[in-house]
Amino acid sequence: MEAEKKQKAPKKNRWKGLQAEFKKVIWPDKQTLVKQTVAVVSITAVVGVLIAVIDSGVLQLLNLLIK
């Protein structure tokens, strides 16, 4: 029981460690953030449309085979 208590780090050290890690983060500027957001949304939309087209094509093919 004593050994388990010694292994756990105090909450203060965890909080200080978290703060130290957040200080190391290099946050992007607004222009970079906007460009990356537009890229992610665009790629997501294109992939979504591609999946919908493939799904529709497979569905039509299966309907032809079943009938």
Side-chain angles (χ1 to χ4, degrees):
M1 188 79 172
E2 255 334 282
E4 288 179 21
K5 287 184 181 179
K6 288 182 183 179
Q7 289 178 355
K8 292 183 180 180
K11 288 187 179 184
K12 258 188 180 178
N13 287 343
R14 286 185 191 170
W15 182 250
K16 285 183 181 180
L18 184 62
Q19 285 178 329
E21 289 300 318
F22 266 106
K23 287 179 183 177
K24 293 179 187 178
V25 173
I26 299 172
W27 299 101
D29 58 292
K30 188 175 181 178
Q31 185 180 8
T32 304
L33 185 63
V34 168
K35 283 182 181 179
Q36 290 178 350
T37 302
V38 168
V40 168
V41 170
S42 301
I43 291 170
T44 302
V46 168
V47 169
V49 168
L50 184 63
I51 289 171
V53 167
I54 291 171
D55 183 50
S56 178
V58 169
L59 183 62
Q60 292 297 324
L61 182 64
L62 286 175
N63 282 337
L64 286 174
L65 292 173
I66 292 173
K67 290 182 181 179

